[in-house]
Amino acid sequence: MSELNGQPVALVTGVSRGIGRATARRLAGDGYHVVGVSRTEPENFEGTFRPLDLSASDAKAQLAALGEEFKPSRVIANAGISAGGPIEAVTDDEFEAVMRTNVQSVLWTIQAGLPTMKANHFGRIVV
């Protein structure tokens, strides 16, 4: 198993609030080393936090780097955003940011954990 200081490693996106924050707390309480990413840093994060806007052009590379550094065998792709406002007012840029965050980043998060999961013949993915 892949571990950091004797703890299994879980990569969780969207840890600043809501389900992502609760998931990170639960995993930390269950003995996992949590590597959390979100645009906003949560207070008193239990683990390693890295600020990351999943709609950014370098988000895929940053997630891959986290995978190489921490070698997670569990990934939880939780982050999600909405464009807000009425649908007729959504711009192409807003729509692209939603798709990158809500869809593409799920693939990138899974890909960040796959090398370790394959090497260990074990892994867990939650989307």
Side-chain angles (χ1 to χ4, degrees), residues 88-104:
E88 62 271 12
V90 175
T91 67
D92 290 347
D93 288 341
E94 289 171 326
F95 182 74
E96 184 176 325
V98 168
M99 295 306 291
R100 288 177 68 84
T101 301
N102 298 1
V103 179
Q104 283 185 302

Side-chain angles (χ1 to χ4, degrees), residues 11-112:
L11 172 61
V12 183
T13 65
V15 297
S16 64
R17 63 179 187 216
I19 294 170
R21 185 72 182 113
T23 300
R25 283 187 178 136
R26 173 67 186 264
L27 288 167
D30 287 348
Y32 289 83
H33 181 87
V34 179
V35 178
V37 299
S38 64
R39 293 182 293 184
T40 306
E41 183 171 2
E43 286 188 32
N44 305 314
F45 188 74
E46 310 86 355
T48 302
F49 175 79
R50 298 287 168 84
L52 178 57
D53 180 347
L54 293 170
S55 70
S57 61
D58 65 340
K60 180 179 181 177
Q62 287 192 50
L63 285 166
L66 288 172
E68 289 177 27
E69 181 179 355
F70 292 99
K71 303 193 181 335
S73 58
R74 286 98 169 150
V75 295
I76 296 88
N78 167 75
I81 62 171
S82 64
I87 191 73
E88 62 271 12
V90 175
T91 67
D92 290 347
D93 288 341
E94 289 171 326
F95 182 74
E96 184 176 325
V98 168
M99 295 306 291
R100 288 177 68 84
T101 301
N102 298 1
V103 179
Q104 283 185 302
S105 75
V106 172
L107 173 65
W108 301 334
T109 303
I110 292 167
Q111 289 173 335

